[in-house]
Amino acid sequence: MNTPSPAAGARCLVTGATGYIGGRLVPELLDGGHRVRCLARHPDKLRDFPWADRVEAVRGDVTDAASMREALDGVDVAYYLVHSMSSTPEFEDRDRLAARVFAAEARSAGVRRIVYLGGLTPRGVPEGELSPHLRSRAEVGRILLDSGVPTTVLRAAVVIGSGSASFEMLRYLTERLPVMVTPSWVGSRVQPIAVRDVLRYLVGSAGMPPDVNRTFDIGGPDVLSYREMMVRYAEVAGLRRRLIVPVPVLTPRLSSHWIGLVTPVPASLAKPLTESLRHEVVCGEHDIARYVPDGPGCPLPFGRSLRLALRRVQDAQVTTRWSSASPPGAPSDPLPTDPDWAGGSLYTDERSRVVDAGPDALWRVIEGVGGENGWYSFPLAWAVRGWADRLVGGVGLRRGRRDATRLRVGDALDFWRVEEIDRGRLLRLRAEMRLPGLAWLEMAVERDEAGRTSYRQRALFHPKGLAGQAYWWSVSPFHAVVFGGMARNIALTAETERGRRDGSLRP
């Protein structure tokens, strides 16, 4: 994928650059000789990507014509990689508005080509019978094709790659359930595609001739039922053969809750994924190869794509995950600096401790919180809070971490998201669990007056209405155990790790 494409040197705009596909597409475009401009509502989220200093980052929103006009100025190829994953009825209206604004501004800016990644729809199924998300993706594709700008619409079914929602759903279902009572859609045939083939087609689409304005079905060489995919995954992962019993009573809605309980993928994201599996989704053509030729071994077979994804997971080299994008309804408000922000209360719980370890040792513990390491206090309380969040449709604790040791702005971290990181000094997390208000958690490394290492921890909550006030006062009695224990154990862990590194403690 490092060979320059026919349109090398083009200025490309990538929307959704902080998302799963966008975050992987940017370095491929750069390696292909393109110049890249990234659109983000919060450009700060791009700063910790390894390619951040090689791109131009602009602030904007695809529903805002003025910001899109500025972002598209001088652009040759515009990649449209944004989707609503909300289950609310108005998401189709938002997707429609965004596509129309983007199409109109791309035409006015003289963009040479639009490239859109959508969903593969089943043949012979009336659009009215499609899931709302597949229907919306089909509509967005039509809007872009009718824009007056030559457009490439790539339609994919299940994308297999480390960190993709489809891969993690498949992985956790298969690994955690040796015996499964499954929905009937496990018998539906699908044509999965490796994420590296998706990226290859996206990059190659930049060089299509100006008379090409159409959709292309993209998929791997294997057509499998979801049941066969689980069996193949068990073989590749070295697991015992799984017993899979399909039943007709699990609707897509019930299936999404079942998946939400078993896998890290929350029900709100699992629902559109499972809805798309109700019908057979198989490519009707492979015309993309006329314009983006398949080299030897391409597209990748399903087994090969599984092995590559598993190796990435095992080697902790997952560059982006499905959780790279914020879940529907997640707050994005920055931490208020004024206690009277928005005219309301801002409650805080502050803890500090002197730590008998160097700042580096303490920072390693702070940056390693969450995921497999947990939250250093009262694990049952954290687990219960995570399950409670899942039950009301939230993300819960099981999103884990993208990387076991290193965080970057925008990373999902269990039911938090990294809002700010000043490496070696400050980590600020914003809550994405379902709450009657907004919440943050800060962990900081400081020096006290005597020059000793100090750990400072601050939990903040801005309540919304009476429910928010009631929530804070109902949980505040537990803060001494949860937050006090967290501060104490983080400090102790840093001291223990320092002792091990210095050889003063035996492991």
Short mmCIF file of all heavy atoms in Angstrom, two decimals, residues 1-65:
data_model
loop_
_atom_site.label_atom_id
_atom_site.label_comp_id
_atom_site.label_asym_id
_atom_site.label_seq_id
_atom_site.Cartn_x
_atom_site.Cartn_y
_atom_site.Cartn_z
N MET A 1 0.82 -1.21 0.00
CA MET A 1 0.00 0.00 0.00
C MET A 1 0.85 1.26 0.00
O MET A 1 0.34 2.34 0.09
CB MET A 1 -0.93 0.01 1.22
CG MET A 1 -1.91 -1.10 1.22
SD MET A 1 -3.62 -0.70 1.04
CE MET A 1 -3.84 1.00 1.34
N ASN A 2 2.17 1.15 -0.07
CA ASN A 2 3.01 2.33 -0.05
C ASN A 2 3.35 2.84 -1.45
O ASN A 2 4.05 3.82 -1.60
CB ASN A 2 4.31 2.05 0.70
CG ASN A 2 4.07 1.81 2.18
OD1 ASN A 2 3.08 2.29 2.71
ND2 ASN A 2 4.96 1.09 2.81
N THR A 3 2.85 2.15 -2.50
CA THR A 3 3.09 2.60 -3.87
C THR A 3 2.22 3.79 -4.18
O THR A 3 1.01 3.77 -3.94
CB THR A 3 2.75 1.45 -4.86
OG1 THR A 3 3.54 0.32 -4.51
CG2 THR A 3 3.06 1.89 -6.27
N PRO A 4 2.78 4.88 -4.70
CA PRO A 4 1.97 6.06 -5.01
C PRO A 4 0.83 5.71 -5.96
O PRO A 4 0.99 4.94 -6.90
CB PRO A 4 2.98 7.02 -5.67
CG PRO A 4 4.31 6.59 -5.14
CD PRO A 4 4.21 5.09 -4.99
N SER A 5 -0.35 6.29 -5.70
CA SER A 5 -1.50 6.03 -6.54
C SER A 5 -1.44 6.91 -7.78
O SER A 5 -0.66 7.85 -7.86
CB SER A 5 -2.78 6.34 -5.75
OG SER A 5 -2.93 7.74 -5.62
N PRO A 6 -2.30 6.63 -8.80
CA PRO A 6 -2.28 7.43 -10.02
C PRO A 6 -2.52 8.91 -9.77
O PRO A 6 -2.13 9.74 -10.58
CB PRO A 6 -3.41 6.82 -10.85
CG PRO A 6 -3.53 5.41 -10.35
CD PRO A 6 -3.20 5.49 -8.89
N ALA A 7 -3.20 9.25 -8.65
CA ALA A 7 -3.50 10.65 -8.37
C ALA A 7 -2.59 11.19 -7.28
O ALA A 7 -2.94 12.07 -6.54
CB ALA A 7 -4.95 10.80 -7.95
N ALA A 8 -1.38 10.63 -7.17
CA ALA A 8 -0.46 11.06 -6.12
C ALA A 8 -0.26 12.56 -6.17
O ALA A 8 -0.13 13.15 -7.23
CB ALA A 8 0.88 10.34 -6.27
N GLY A 9 -0.23 13.18 -4.99
CA GLY A 9 -0.07 14.61 -4.91
C GLY A 9 -1.38 15.34 -4.78
O GLY A 9 -1.39 16.57 -4.63
N ALA A 10 -2.50 14.64 -4.82
CA ALA A 10 -3.81 15.28 -4.67
C ALA A 10 -3.98 15.77 -3.23
O ALA A 10 -3.48 15.15 -2.29
CB ALA A 10 -4.92 14.30 -5.03
N ARG A 11 -4.71 16.88 -3.07
CA ARG A 11 -5.07 17.32 -1.74
C ARG A 11 -6.38 16.62 -1.36
O ARG A 11 -7.39 16.81 -2.03
CB ARG A 11 -5.24 18.84 -1.67
CG ARG A 11 -5.58 19.32 -0.25
CD ARG A 11 -5.75 20.83 -0.20
NE ARG A 11 -4.51 21.52 -0.48
CZ ARG A 11 -3.54 21.71 0.43
NH1 ARG A 11 -3.67 21.22 1.65
NH2 ARG A 11 -2.45 22.37 0.10
N CYS A 12 -6.33 15.85 -0.29
CA CYS A 12 -7.49 15.06 0.12
C CYS A 12 -8.05 15.58 1.44
O CYS A 12 -7.29 15.82 2.38
CB CYS A 12 -7.10 13.59 0.29
SG CYS A 12 -6.45 12.80 -1.19
N LEU A 13 -9.35 15.73 1.52
CA LEU A 13 -10.02 16.03 2.77
C LEU A 13 -10.58 14.73 3.32
O LEU A 13 -11.28 13.99 2.61
CB LEU A 13 -11.16 17.02 2.57
CG LEU A 13 -11.99 17.29 3.84
CD1 LEU A 13 -11.19 18.13 4.83
CD2 LEU A 13 -13.31 17.97 3.50
N VAL A 14 -10.27 14.43 4.58
CA VAL A 14 -10.80 13.23 5.24
C VAL A 14 -11.72 13.67 6.36
O VAL A 14 -11.27 14.29 7.34
CB VAL A 14 -9.68 12.33 5.80
CG1 VAL A 14 -10.27 11.13 6.52
CG2 VAL A 14 -8.76 11.87 4.66
N THR A 15 -13.01 13.41 6.21
CA THR A 15 -13.94 13.62 7.31
C THR A 15 -13.94 12.34 8.15
O THR A 15 -13.62 11.27 7.66
CB THR A 15 -15.36 13.89 6.80
OG1 THR A 15 -15.84 12.73 6.10
CG2 THR A 15 -15.38 15.09 5.85
N GLY A 16 -14.28 12.47 9.42
CA GLY A 16 -14.25 11.29 10.28
C GLY A 16 -12.85 10.78 10.54
O GLY A 16 -12.63 9.59 10.72
N ALA A 17 -11.87 11.70 10.57
CA ALA A 17 -10.47 11.28 10.70
C ALA A 17 -10.15 10.68 12.06
O ALA A 17 -9.14 10.00 12.21
CB ALA A 17 -9.53 12.46 10.43
N THR A 18 -11.00 10.95 13.07
CA THR A 18 -10.76 10.35 14.39
C THR A 18 -11.45 8.99 14.52
O THR A 18 -11.32 8.35 15.57
CB THR A 18 -11.27 11.27 15.50
OG1 THR A 18 -12.68 11.50 15.32
CG2 THR A 18 -10.54 12.60 15.49
N GLY A 19 -12.18 8.57 13.50
CA GLY A 19 -12.91 7.31 13.58
C GLY A 19 -12.09 6.10 13.19
O GLY A 19 -10.89 6.21 12.89
N TYR A 20 -12.73 4.94 13.17
CA TYR A 20 -12.02 3.67 12.93
C TYR A 20 -11.38 3.64 11.55
O TYR A 20 -10.18 3.35 11.42
CB TYR A 20 -12.99 2.49 13.09
CG TYR A 20 -12.33 1.17 12.78
CD1 TYR A 20 -11.41 0.63 13.66
CD2 TYR A 20 -12.61 0.48 11.61
CE1 TYR A 20 -10.77 -0.57 13.38
CE2 TYR A 20 -11.98 -0.73 11.32
CZ TYR A 20 -11.06 -1.24 12.21
OH TYR A 20 -10.42 -2.43 11.93
N ILE A 21 -12.15 3.91 10.50
CA ILE A 21 -11.61 3.88 9.14
C ILE A 21 -10.79 5.13 8.85
O ILE A 21 -9.67 5.05 8.32
CB ILE A 21 -12.75 3.74 8.10
CG1 ILE A 21 -13.43 2.37 8.24
CG2 ILE A 21 -12.21 3.91 6.69
CD1 ILE A 21 -12.57 1.19 7.84
N GLY A 22 -11.31 6.30 9.21
CA GLY A 22 -10.59 7.54 8.91
C GLY A 22 -9.21 7.59 9.53
O GLY A 22 -8.26 8.04 8.88
N GLY A 23 -9.08 7.12 10.77
CA GLY A 23 -7.79 7.14 11.44
C GLY A 23 -6.77 6.23 10.80
O GLY A 23 -5.56 6.44 10.97
N ARG A 24 -7.22 5.24 10.04
CA ARG A 24 -6.31 4.34 9.32
C ARG A 24 -6.09 4.79 7.88
O ARG A 24 -5.05 4.50 7.28
CB ARG A 24 -6.86 2.91 9.33
CG ARG A 24 -6.96 2.33 10.74
CD ARG A 24 -7.37 0.89 10.74
NE ARG A 24 -7.47 0.39 12.11
CZ ARG A 24 -7.19 -0.84 12.49
NH1 ARG A 24 -6.79 -1.73 11.59
NH2 ARG A 24 -7.31 -1.20 13.75
N LEU A 25 -7.08 5.49 7.33
CA LEU A 25 -6.95 5.94 5.95
C LEU A 25 -5.91 7.05 5.81
O LEU A 25 -5.14 7.08 4.84
CB LEU A 25 -8.31 6.44 5.45
CG LEU A 25 -8.32 7.08 4.05
CD1 LEU A 25 -7.89 6.07 2.98
CD2 LEU A 25 -9.70 7.65 3.73
N VAL A 26 -5.86 7.95 6.78
CA VAL A 26 -4.95 9.11 6.67
C VAL A 26 -3.51 8.69 6.41
O VAL A 26 -2.89 9.18 5.46
CB VAL A 26 -5.06 9.99 7.93
CG1 VAL A 26 -3.94 11.04 7.95
CG2 VAL A 26 -6.42 10.67 7.99
N PRO A 27 -2.90 7.79 7.21
CA PRO A 27 -1.50 7.43 6.91
C PRO A 27 -1.33 6.72 5.58
O PRO A 27 -0.27 6.85 4.95
CB PRO A 27 -1.10 6.52 8.09
CG PRO A 27 -2.39 6.01 8.65
CD PRO A 27 -3.38 7.11 8.43
N GLU A 28 -2.35 5.99 5.13
CA GLU A 28 -2.25 5.33 3.81
C GLU A 28 -2.24 6.38 2.70
O GLU A 28 -1.50 6.23 1.72
CB GLU A 28 -3.43 4.37 3.62
CG GLU A 28 -3.47 3.22 4.62
CD GLU A 28 -2.32 2.24 4.46
OE1 GLU A 28 -1.64 2.27 3.41
OE2 GLU A 28 -2.10 1.44 5.39
N LEU A 29 -3.04 7.41 2.84
CA LEU A 29 -3.03 8.48 1.83
C LEU A 29 -1.69 9.20 1.83
O LEU A 29 -1.13 9.52 0.77
CB LEU A 29 -4.16 9.47 2.13
CG LEU A 29 -5.58 8.99 1.84
CD1 LEU A 29 -6.60 9.98 2.41
CD2 LEU A 29 -5.81 8.81 0.34
N LEU A 30 -1.16 9.47 3.02
CA LEU A 30 0.14 10.13 3.11
C LEU A 30 1.23 9.28 2.48
O LEU A 30 2.08 9.79 1.72
CB LEU A 30 0.48 10.41 4.58
CG LEU A 30 -0.39 11.47 5.28
CD1 LEU A 30 -0.14 11.44 6.78
CD2 LEU A 30 -0.10 12.86 4.72
N ASP A 31 1.21 7.98 2.76
CA ASP A 31 2.21 7.09 2.17
C ASP A 31 2.04 6.97 0.66
O ASP A 31 2.99 6.62 -0.05
CB ASP A 31 2.12 5.70 2.81
CG ASP A 31 2.60 5.70 4.26
OD1 ASP A 31 3.26 6.68 4.66
OD2 ASP A 31 2.31 4.73 4.98
N GLY A 32 0.83 7.25 0.17
CA GLY A 32 0.58 7.21 -1.27
C GLY A 32 0.95 8.50 -1.98
O GLY A 32 0.70 8.64 -3.18
N GLY A 33 1.53 9.44 -1.23
CA GLY A 33 1.99 10.68 -1.86
C GLY A 33 0.99 11.81 -1.86
O GLY A 33 1.22 12.84 -2.51
N HIS A 34 -0.12 11.65 -1.14
CA HIS A 34 -1.15 12.70 -1.11
C HIS A 34 -0.89 13.69 0.01
O HIS A 34 -0.23 13.39 1.01
CB HIS A 34 -2.53 12.07 -0.94
CG HIS A 34 -2.91 11.12 -2.02
ND1 HIS A 34 -3.17 11.53 -3.31
CD2 HIS A 34 -3.07 9.78 -2.01
CE1 HIS A 34 -3.48 10.47 -4.05
NE2 HIS A 34 -3.42 9.40 -3.29
N ARG A 35 -1.46 14.86 -0.13
CA ARG A 35 -1.53 15.84 0.94
C ARG A 35 -2.89 15.71 1.61
O ARG A 35 -3.90 15.58 0.91
CB ARG A 35 -1.33 17.26 0.39
CG ARG A 35 0.06 17.50 -0.21
CD ARG A 35 0.07 18.77 -1.04
NE ARG A 35 -0.74 18.61 -2.24
CZ ARG A 35 -1.23 19.64 -2.94
NH1 ARG A 35 -1.01 20.88 -2.54
NH2 ARG A 35 -1.95 19.42 -4.03
N VAL A 36 -2.91 15.75 2.93
CA VAL A 36 -4.14 15.42 3.65
C VAL A 36 -4.56 16.55 4.58
O VAL A 36 -3.74 17.09 5.32
CB VAL A 36 -3.98 14.12 4.47
CG1 VAL A 36 -5.26 13.81 5.24
CG2 VAL A 36 -3.63 12.95 3.55
N ARG A 37 -5.82 16.88 4.49
CA ARG A 37 -6.47 17.82 5.42
C ARG A 37 -7.53 17.02 6.18
O ARG A 37 -8.33 16.30 5.55
CB ARG A 37 -7.11 18.98 4.66
CG ARG A 37 -7.85 19.98 5.53
CD ARG A 37 -8.51 21.04 4.67
NE ARG A 37 -7.50 21.87 3.99
CZ ARG A 37 -7.78 22.71 2.99
NH1 ARG A 37 -9.02 22.78 2.51
NH2 ARG A 37 -6.82 23.42 2.44
N CYS A 38 -7.54 17.12 7.49
CA CYS A 38 -8.48 16.36 8.31
C CYS A 38 -9.52 17.29 8.92
O CYS A 38 -9.16 18.32 9.51
CB CYS A 38 -7.75 15.63 9.44
SG CYS A 38 -6.61 14.36 8.87
N LEU A 39 -10.76 16.92 8.79
CA LEU A 39 -11.87 17.67 9.39
C LEU A 39 -12.27 17.00 10.69
O LEU A 39 -12.48 15.79 10.75
CB LEU A 39 -13.06 17.70 8.44
CG LEU A 39 -14.30 18.43 8.98
CD1 LEU A 39 -14.14 19.93 8.81
CD2 LEU A 39 -15.57 17.95 8.27
N ALA A 40 -12.39 17.79 11.75
CA ALA A 40 -12.82 17.26 13.04
C ALA A 40 -13.54 18.35 13.80
O ALA A 40 -13.18 19.53 13.72
CB ALA A 40 -11.63 16.74 13.85
N ARG A 41 -14.58 17.97 14.54
CA ARG A 41 -15.25 18.95 15.39
C ARG A 41 -14.33 19.43 16.49
O ARG A 41 -14.43 20.56 16.96
CB ARG A 41 -16.52 18.34 15.98
CG ARG A 41 -17.68 18.25 14.98
CD ARG A 41 -18.89 17.58 15.56
NE ARG A 41 -18.63 16.17 15.84
CZ ARG A 41 -19.52 15.33 16.37
NH1 ARG A 41 -20.70 15.77 16.72
NH2 ARG A 41 -19.21 14.07 16.58
N HIS A 42 -13.43 18.53 16.93
CA HIS A 42 -12.46 18.87 17.96
C HIS A 42 -11.07 18.46 17.46
O HIS A 42 -10.62 17.34 17.71
CB HIS A 42 -12.80 18.15 19.28
CG HIS A 42 -14.19 18.42 19.77
ND1 HIS A 42 -14.55 19.60 20.36
CD2 HIS A 42 -15.32 17.65 19.75
CE1 HIS A 42 -15.84 19.55 20.68
NE2 HIS A 42 -16.32 18.39 20.32
N PRO A 43 -10.39 19.34 16.74
CA PRO A 43 -9.08 18.98 16.16
C PRO A 43 -8.05 18.51 17.18
O PRO A 43 -7.11 17.80 16.81
CB PRO A 43 -8.64 20.28 15.47
CG PRO A 43 -9.91 21.01 15.17
CD PRO A 43 -10.82 20.69 16.33
N ASP A 44 -8.21 18.90 18.44
CA ASP A 44 -7.26 18.45 19.46
C ASP A 44 -7.20 16.93 19.55
O ASP A 44 -6.19 16.36 19.97
CB ASP A 44 -7.63 19.01 20.84
CG ASP A 44 -7.20 20.46 20.99
OD1 ASP A 44 -6.48 20.94 20.10
OD2 ASP A 44 -7.57 21.10 21.98
N LYS A 45 -8.28 16.27 19.16
CA LYS A 45 -8.31 14.81 19.23
C LYS A 45 -7.32 14.17 18.25
O LYS A 45 -7.01 12.99 18.36
CB LYS A 45 -9.71 14.29 18.95
CG LYS A 45 -10.71 14.51 20.07
CD LYS A 45 -12.03 13.85 19.76
CE LYS A 45 -13.03 14.00 20.89
NZ LYS A 45 -14.32 13.32 20.58
N LEU A 46 -6.84 14.95 17.29
CA LEU A 46 -5.92 14.42 16.29
C LEU A 46 -4.46 14.51 16.72
O LEU A 46 -3.59 13.88 16.12
CB LEU A 46 -6.09 15.18 14.97
CG LEU A 46 -7.45 15.08 14.27
CD1 LEU A 46 -7.53 16.10 13.15
CD2 LEU A 46 -7.67 13.68 13.74
N ARG A 47 -4.17 15.30 17.75
CA ARG A 47 -2.79 15.69 18.00
C ARG A 47 -1.89 14.53 18.42
O ARG A 47 -0.68 14.60 18.22
CB ARG A 47 -2.75 16.78 19.07
CG ARG A 47 -3.03 16.29 20.47
CD ARG A 47 -2.99 17.39 21.48
NE ARG A 47 -2.94 16.85 22.82
CZ ARG A 47 -3.41 17.48 23.88
NH1 ARG A 47 -3.95 18.67 23.74
NH2 ARG A 47 -3.31 16.93 25.07
N ASP A 48 -2.46 13.46 19.00
CA ASP A 48 -1.63 12.35 19.47
C ASP A 48 -1.50 11.22 18.46
O ASP A 48 -0.83 10.22 18.73
CB ASP A 48 -2.17 11.79 20.80
CG ASP A 48 -2.00 12.77 21.94
OD1 ASP A 48 -1.03 13.55 21.90
OD2 ASP A 48 -2.82 12.77 22.88
N PHE A 49 -2.14 11.35 17.29
CA PHE A 49 -1.95 10.35 16.25
C PHE A 49 -0.52 10.48 15.71
O PHE A 49 0.00 11.59 15.61
CB PHE A 49 -2.95 10.54 15.11
CG PHE A 49 -4.33 10.00 15.39
CD1 PHE A 49 -5.26 10.78 16.06
CD2 PHE A 49 -4.67 8.73 15.00
CE1 PHE A 49 -6.53 10.29 16.33
CE2 PHE A 49 -5.94 8.22 15.25
CZ PHE A 49 -6.87 9.01 15.92
N PRO A 50 0.12 9.38 15.37
CA PRO A 50 1.52 9.45 14.92
C PRO A 50 1.71 10.27 13.66
O PRO A 50 2.83 10.71 13.37
CB PRO A 50 1.90 7.98 14.71
CG PRO A 50 0.62 7.22 14.63
CD PRO A 50 -0.37 7.98 15.45
N TRP A 51 0.63 10.48 12.90
CA TRP A 51 0.75 11.24 11.66
C TRP A 51 0.30 12.70 11.81
O TRP A 51 0.20 13.44 10.81
CB TRP A 51 -0.08 10.57 10.55
CG TRP A 51 -1.41 10.02 11.00
CD1 TRP A 51 -1.69 8.71 11.24
CD2 TRP A 51 -2.63 10.74 11.25
NE1 TRP A 51 -3.01 8.56 11.63
CE2 TRP A 51 -3.61 9.81 11.64
CE3 TRP A 51 -3.00 12.09 11.18
CZ2 TRP A 51 -4.92 10.16 11.96
CZ3 TRP A 51 -4.30 12.45 11.50
CH2 TRP A 51 -5.24 11.49 11.88
N ALA A 52 0.02 13.14 13.03
CA ALA A 52 -0.60 14.46 13.24
C ALA A 52 0.22 15.60 12.65
O ALA A 52 -0.35 16.58 12.12
CB ALA A 52 -0.83 14.69 14.72
N ASP A 53 1.55 15.51 12.73
CA ASP A 53 2.38 16.62 12.24
C ASP A 53 2.55 16.60 10.72
O ASP A 53 3.22 17.48 10.16
CB ASP A 53 3.75 16.60 12.92
CG ASP A 53 4.52 15.31 12.66
OD1 ASP A 53 3.93 14.36 12.12
OD2 ASP A 53 5.72 15.26 13.01
N ARG A 54 1.91 15.64 10.06
CA ARG A 54 2.02 15.55 8.60
C ARG A 54 0.74 15.99 7.90
O ARG A 54 0.66 15.95 6.67
CB ARG A 54 2.35 14.11 8.18
CG ARG A 54 3.64 13.58 8.78
CD ARG A 54 3.79 12.07 8.54
NE ARG A 54 3.82 11.73 7.13
CZ ARG A 54 3.62 10.49 6.65
NH1 ARG A 54 3.35 9.49 7.51
NH2 ARG A 54 3.68 10.24 5.37
N VAL A 55 -0.29 16.38 8.67
CA VAL A 55 -1.57 16.75 8.08
C VAL A 55 -1.95 18.16 8.50
O VAL A 55 -1.42 18.73 9.45
CB VAL A 55 -2.69 15.77 8.48
CG1 VAL A 55 -2.31 14.34 8.13
CG2 VAL A 55 -3.03 15.89 9.97
N GLU A 56 -2.91 18.70 7.77
CA GLU A 56 -3.53 19.97 8.15
C GLU A 56 -4.85 19.65 8.83
O GLU A 56 -5.71 18.96 8.24
CB GLU A 56 -3.77 20.83 6.91
CG GLU A 56 -4.49 22.13 7.18
CD GLU A 56 -4.92 22.84 5.91
OE1 GLU A 56 -4.65 22.32 4.80
OE2 GLU A 56 -5.55 23.91 6.02
N ALA A 57 -5.04 20.11 10.06
CA ALA A 57 -6.27 19.84 10.80
C ALA A 57 -7.14 21.09 10.80
O ALA A 57 -6.67 22.19 11.07
CB ALA A 57 -5.95 19.42 12.23
N VAL A 58 -8.42 20.91 10.46
CA VAL A 58 -9.36 22.04 10.45
C VAL A 58 -10.58 21.67 11.28
O VAL A 58 -10.98 20.51 11.35
CB VAL A 58 -9.79 22.41 9.01
CG1 VAL A 58 -8.61 22.90 8.21
CG2 VAL A 58 -10.47 21.23 8.31
N ARG A 59 -11.14 22.69 11.94
CA ARG A 59 -12.34 22.49 12.75
C ARG A 59 -13.57 22.65 11.87
O ARG A 59 -13.67 23.57 11.05
CB ARG A 59 -12.37 23.52 13.88
CG ARG A 59 -13.53 23.34 14.86
CD ARG A 59 -13.52 24.45 15.90
NE ARG A 59 -12.26 24.51 16.62
CZ ARG A 59 -11.97 23.76 17.69
NH1 ARG A 59 -12.88 22.90 18.15
NH2 ARG A 59 -10.80 23.86 18.29
N GLY A 60 -14.52 21.74 12.03
CA GLY A 60 -15.74 21.87 11.25
C GLY A 60 -16.71 20.74 11.52
O GLY A 60 -16.40 19.78 12.22
N ASP A 61 -17.89 20.89 10.95
CA ASP A 61 -18.95 19.91 11.12
C ASP A 61 -19.64 19.77 9.76
O ASP A 61 -19.91 20.77 9.09
CB ASP A 61 -19.94 20.38 12.19
CG ASP A 61 -20.95 19.31 12.57
OD1 ASP A 61 -21.74 18.90 11.67
OD2 ASP A 61 -20.97 18.88 13.72
N VAL A 62 -19.94 18.54 9.37
CA VAL A 62 -20.51 18.32 8.03
C VAL A 62 -21.92 18.88 7.90
O VAL A 62 -22.44 18.99 6.78
CB VAL A 62 -20.52 16.81 7.67
CG1 VAL A 62 -19.12 16.32 7.37
CG2 VAL A 62 -21.17 15.98 8.77
N THR A 63 -22.56 19.25 9.00
CA THR A 63 -23.88 19.87 8.90
C THR A 63 -23.80 21.39 8.83
O THR A 63 -24.82 22.05 8.67
CB THR A 63 -24.76 19.48 10.11
OG1 THR A 63 -24.14 19.95 11.31
CG2 THR A 63 -24.95 17.97 10.18
N ASP A 64 -22.60 21.94 8.94
CA ASP A 64 -22.41 23.39 8.94
C ASP A 64 -21.79 23.83 7.61
O ASP A 64 -20.62 23.55 7.33
CB ASP A 64 -21.52 23.80 10.11
CG ASP A 64 -21.26 25.29 10.13
OD1 ASP A 64 -22.23 26.06 10.25
OD2 ASP A 64 -20.08 25.68 10.00
N ALA A 65 -22.57 24.52 6.80
CA ALA A 65 -22.11 24.88 5.45
C ALA A 65 -20.89 25.77 5.48
O ALA A 65 -19.97 25.61 4.65
CB ALA A 65 -23.26 25.55 4.69
#
